[in-house]
Coordinates of all heavy atoms in Angstrom, one line a residue:
T1 N 77.1 135.7 6.7 CA 76.2 135.2 5.7 C 76.7 134.1 4.8 O 76.1 133.7 3.8 CB 75.8 136.4 4.7 OG1 77.1 136.9 4.1 CG2 75.2 137.6 5.5
T2 N 77.9 133.6 5.2 CA 78.5 132.5 4.4 C 78.7 131.2 5.2 O 78.5 131.3 6.5 CB 79.8 133.0 3.8 OG1 80.7 133.4 4.9 CG2 79.7 134.1 2.9
P3 N 78.9 130.1 4.6 CA 79.0 128.8 5.3 C 80.0 128.8 6.5 O 81.1 129.3 6.3 CB 79.4 127.8 4.3 CG 78.8 128.4 3.0 CD 79.0 129.9 3.1
A4 N 79.5 128.4 7.6 CA 80.4 128.4 8.8 C 80.9 127.0 9.1 O 80.6 126.0 8.5 CB 79.5 128.9 10.0
G5 N 81.8 127.0 10.2 CA 82.3 125.7 10.6 C 83.8 125.8 10.9 O 84.4 125.1 11.7
C6 N 84.5 126.7 10.2 CA 85.9 126.9 10.4 C 86.2 128.2 11.2 O 85.3 129.1 11.2 CB 86.7 127.1 9.1 SG 86.8 125.6 8.0
R7 N 87.3 128.2 11.9 CA 87.7 129.4 12.6 C 89.2 129.6 12.4 O 89.9 128.6 12.2 CB 87.4 129.4 14.1 CG 88.1 128.3 14.9 CD 87.8 128.4 16.4 NE 88.4 127.4 17.1 CZ 89.7 127.4 17.6 NH1 90.4 128.5 17.3 NH2 90.2 126.5 18.3
L8 N 89.6 130.9 12.5 CA 91.0 131.2 12.3 C 91.8 130.8 13.6 O 91.5 131.4 14.7 CB 91.2 132.6 12.0 CG 92.7 133.1 11.8 CD1 93.3 132.4 10.7 CD2 92.7 134.6 11.6
E9 N 92.7 129.9 13.5 CA 93.6 129.5 14.6 C 94.8 130.4 14.7 O 95.1 130.9 15.8 CB 94.0 128.1 14.5 CG 95.0 127.6 15.5 CD 94.4 127.5 16.9 OE1 93.2 127.4 17.0 OE2 95.2 127.5 17.9
S10 N 95.4 130.7 13.6 CA 96.6 131.6 13.6 C 96.9 132.2 12.2 O 96.5 131.6 11.2 CB 97.8 130.9 14.2 OG 98.2 129.9 13.3
L11 N 97.6 133.3 12.2 CA 98.0 133.9 11.0 C 99.5 134.4 11.3 O 99.7 135.1 12.3 CB 97.2 135.1 10.6 CG 97.6 135.9 9.4 CD1 97.6 135.1 8.1 CD2 96.8 137.2 9.3
L12 N 100.4 134.0 10.4 CA 101.8 134.4 10.6 C 102.3 134.9 9.3 O 102.1 134.2 8.2 CB 102.6 133.2 11.1 CG 104.2 133.4 11.1 CD1 104.5 134.5 12.2 CD2 104.9 132.1 11.4
I13 N 103.1 136.0 9.3 CA 103.7 136.5 8.1 C 105.2 136.5 8.3 O 105.7 136.9 9.4 CB 103.3 138.0 7.8 CG1 101.8 138.0 7.5 CG2 104.1 138.5 6.6 CD1 101.3 139.4 7.4
E14 N 105.9 135.9 7.3 CA 107.4 135.8 7.4 C 108.0 136.6 6.2 O 107.5 136.4 5.1 CB 107.9 134.4 7.4 CG 107.4 133.5 8.5 CD 107.7 132.1 8.4 OE1 106.9 131.4 7.7 OE2 108.7 131.6 8.9
H15 N 109.1 137.3 6.4 CA 109.7 138.1 5.3 C 111.1 138.5 5.7 O 111.4 138.8 6.9 CB 108.8 139.3 5.1 CG 109.1 139.9 3.7 ND1 110.1 140.9 3.6 CD2 108.5 139.8 2.5 CE1 110.1 141.3 2.3 NE2 109.2 140.6 1.6
P16 N 112.0 138.6 4.7 CA 113.4 139.1 5.1 C 113.4 140.5 5.6 O 114.3 140.9 6.3 CB 114.1 139.0 3.7 CG 113.3 138.0 2.9 CD 111.9 138.1 3.4
N17 N 112.4 141.4 5.2 CA 112.3 142.7 5.7 C 110.9 143.0 6.3 O 110.0 143.5 5.6 CB 112.6 143.7 4.6 CG 112.5 145.2 5.1 OD1 112.6 145.5 6.3 ND2 112.2 146.1 4.1
P18 N 110.7 142.7 7.6 CA 109.4 142.9 8.2 C 109.1 144.3 8.7 O 108.0 144.6 9.0 CB 109.5 141.9 9.4 CG 110.9 142.0 9.8 CD 111.7 142.1 8.5
D19 N 110.1 145.2 8.6 CA 110.0 146.5 9.2 C 108.8 147.3 8.7 O 108.1 147.9 9.5 CB 111.3 147.3 9.1 CG 112.4 146.7 9.9 OD1 112.1 145.8 10.7 OD2 113.6 147.1 9.7
P20 N 108.5 147.4 7.4 CA 107.4 148.1 6.9 C 106.1 147.6 7.5 O 105.2 148.4 7.9 CB 107.4 147.9 5.4 CG 108.8 147.7 5.1 CD 109.3 146.8 6.2
L21 N 105.9 146.3 7.7 CA 104.7 145.8 8.2 C 104.6 146.1 9.7 O 103.5 146.6 10.2 CB 104.7 144.3 8.1 CG 104.4 143.7 6.7 CD1 104.3 142.2 6.7 CD2 103.1 144.3 6.1
T22 N 105.7 145.9 10.5 CA 105.6 146.2 11.9 C 105.3 147.6 12.2 O 104.6 148.0 13.1 CB 106.9 145.7 12.6 OG1 108.0 146.3 12.0 CG2 107.0 144.2 12.5
H23 N 105.8 148.5 11.3 CA 105.6 149.9 11.5 C 104.1 150.3 11.3 O 103.5 151.0 12.2 CB 106.4 150.7 10.5 CG 106.2 152.2 10.6 ND1 106.2 153.0 11.7 CD2 105.9 153.1 9.6 CE1 106.0 154.2 11.5 NE2 105.7 154.3 10.2
V24 N 103.5 149.8 10.3 CA 102.1 150.0 10.0 C 101.2 149.3 11.1 O 100.3 150.0 11.6 CB 101.7 149.6 8.6 CG1 100.2 149.6 8.4 CG2 102.4 150.4 7.5
F25 N 101.5 148.1 11.4 CA 100.7 147.4 12.4 C 100.8 148.1 13.7 O 99.7 148.2 14.4 CB 101.2 146.0 12.6 CG 101.0 145.1 11.3 CD1 101.5 143.8 11.4 CD2 100.4 145.5 10.2 CE1 101.3 142.9 10.3 CE2 100.2 144.7 9.1 CZ 100.7 143.4 9.1
S26 N 102.0 148.6 14.1 CA 102.1 149.3 15.4 C 101.3 150.6 15.3 O 100.6 151.0 16.3 CB 103.5 149.6 15.7 OG 103.7 150.4 16.8
T27 N 101.3 151.3 14.2 CA 100.6 152.5 14.1 C 99.1 152.4 14.2 O 98.4 153.2 14.9 CB 100.9 153.2 12.7 OG1 102.3 153.5 12.6 CG2 100.1 154.5 12.5
V28 N 98.5 151.3 13.6 CA 97.1 151.1 13.7 C 96.7 150.1 14.7 O 95.5 149.8 14.9 CB 96.5 150.7 12.3 CG1 96.9 151.7 11.2 CG2 97.0 149.3 11.9
Q29 N 97.6 149.6 15.5 CA 97.4 148.7 16.6 C 96.7 147.4 16.1 O 95.8 146.9 16.7 CB 96.6 149.4 17.7 CG 97.3 150.6 18.3 CD 96.5 151.2 19.4 OE1 95.5 150.7 19.9 NE2 96.9 152.5 19.8
L30 N 97.3 146.9 15.0 CA 96.8 145.6 14.5 C 97.7 144.5 15.0 O 98.9 144.5 14.8 CB 96.9 145.7 12.9 CG 96.5 144.4 12.2 CD1 95.1 143.9 12.5 CD2 96.7 144.6 10.7
K31 N 97.1 143.5 15.6 CA 97.9 142.5 16.3 C 98.0 141.2 15.4 O 97.2 140.3 15.5 CB 97.2 142.1 17.6 CG 97.1 143.3 18.6 CD 96.5 142.9 19.9 CE 96.4 144.1 20.8 NZ 97.6 144.8 21.0
V32 N 99.0 141.3 14.5 CA 99.3 140.2 13.7 C 100.8 139.9 13.7 O 101.6 140.8 13.5 CB 98.9 140.4 12.2 CG1 99.4 139.4 11.3 CG2 97.4 140.6 12.1
P33 N 101.2 138.7 14.1 CA 102.7 138.4 14.2 C 103.4 138.4 12.9 O 102.9 137.9 11.9 CB 102.7 137.0 14.9 CG 101.4 136.4 14.5 CD 100.4 137.5 14.4
V34 N 104.6 139.0 12.9 CA 105.5 139.1 11.8 C 106.8 138.6 12.2 O 107.3 139.1 13.2 CB 105.6 140.5 11.2 CG1 106.4 140.6 10.0 CG2 104.2 141.1 10.9
R35 N 107.5 137.8 11.4 CA 108.7 137.2 11.8 C 109.8 137.4 10.7 O 109.5 137.3 9.5 CB 108.5 135.7 12.0 CG 109.8 134.9 12.4 CD 109.5 133.4 12.5 NE 108.5 133.2 13.6 CZ 107.9 132.0 13.7 NH1 108.1 131.0 12.9 NH2 107.0 131.9 14.7
T36 N 111.0 137.7 11.1 CA 112.1 137.8 10.1 C 112.5 136.4 9.6 O 112.6 135.5 10.4 CB 113.3 138.5 10.7 OG1 112.9 139.8 11.2 CG2 114.4 138.7 9.7
S37 N 112.6 136.3 8.3 CA 112.9 135.0 7.7 C 113.5 135.2 6.4 O 113.5 136.3 5.8 CB 111.6 134.2 7.5 OG 111.8 133.0 6.8
D38 N 114.2 134.1 5.9 CA 114.8 134.2 4.6 C 113.8 134.0 3.4 O 114.1 134.0 2.3 CB 116.0 133.3 4.4 CG 115.5 131.8 4.6 OD1 114.3 131.6 4.9 OD2 116.4 130.9 4.5
R39 N 112.5 133.7 3.8 CA 111.5 133.5 2.8 C 110.4 134.5 3.0 O 110.2 135.1 4.1 CB 110.9 132.1 2.9 CG 110.1 131.8 4.2 CD 109.8 130.4 4.4 NE 110.9 129.6 4.8 CZ 110.9 128.3 4.8 NH1 109.8 127.6 4.4 NH2 112.0 127.6 5.2
S40 N 109.6 134.7 2.0 CA 108.4 135.5 2.1 C 107.1 134.7 1.9 O 106.9 134.1 0.9 CB 108.4 136.6 0.9 OG 107.2 137.3 0.9
R41 N 106.4 134.6 3.0 CA 105.2 133.8 3.0 C 104.2 134.2 4.1 O 104.6 134.7 5.1 CB 105.5 132.3 3.0 CG 106.0 131.8 4.4 CD 106.2 130.3 4.3 NE 106.7 129.8 5.6 CZ 107.0 128.5 5.8 NH1 106.9 127.6 4.8 NH2 107.4 128.1 7.0
M42 N 103.0 133.8 3.9 CA 101.9 133.9 4.9 C 101.5 132.5 5.2 O 101.2 131.7 4.3 CB 100.7 134.8 4.3 CG 99.5 134.7 5.2 SD 98.1 135.7 4.5 CE 98.6 137.3 4.8
T43 N 101.3 132.2 6.5 CA 100.8 130.9 6.9 C 99.5 131.1 7.6 O 99.4 131.9 8.6 CB 101.8 130.2 7.9 OG1 103.1 130.1 7.2 CG2 101.3 128.9 8.3
I44 N 98.5 130.4 7.1 CA 97.1 130.5 7.6 C 96.8 129.1 8.2 O 96.9 128.1 7.5 CB 96.1 130.9 6.5 CG1 96.4 132.2 5.9 CG2 94.7 130.8 7.1 CD1 95.6 132.5 4.7
V45 N 96.4 129.1 9.5 CA 96.0 127.9 10.1 C 94.5 128.0 10.6 O 94.2 128.9 11.3 CB 96.9 127.5 11.3 CG1 96.4 126.2 12.0 CG2 98.3 127.5 10.9
L46 N 93.7 127.1 10.1 CA 92.3 127.0 10.5 C 91.9 125.8 11.3 O 92.5 124.7 11.1 CB 91.4 127.1 9.2 CG 91.6 128.2 8.2 CD1 90.6 128.0 7.0 CD2 91.5 129.5 8.8
E47 N 91.0 125.9 12.2 CA 90.4 124.8 12.8 C 89.0 124.6 12.2 O 88.2 125.5 12.2 CB 90.2 125.0 14.4 CG 91.5 124.9 15.1 CD 92.1 123.5 15.2 OE1 91.3 122.6 14.9 OE2 93.2 123.3 15.6

């Protein structure tokens, strides 16, 4: 119901401690990449 034209190309989460996320994602079978990093951030890429 909202303006169209963009689509989600990728979503990436980076964090020094990704374990809580990977545990929950695995449990609910949510396919979102999580990477160990010295920073905490989410990267959203749209086309």
Side-chain angles (χ1 to χ4, degrees):
T1 61
T2 57
C6 291
R7 66 176 178 83
L8 179 62
E9 175 68 19
S10 65
L11 174 67
L12 172 66
I13 298 173
E14 298 172 276
H15 197 272
N17 178 24
D19 292 348
L21 287 183
T22 56
H23 176 53
V24 171
F25 293 178
S26 175
T27 299
V28 302
Q29 298 179 14
L30 176 58
K31 301 184 183 303
V32 172
V34 183
R35 180 183 300 167
T36 302
S37 172
D38 60 357
R39 69 187 75 191
S40 172
R41 71 178 182 182
M42 171 183 284
T43 301
I44 299 169
V45 181
L46 306 182
E47 285 289 347

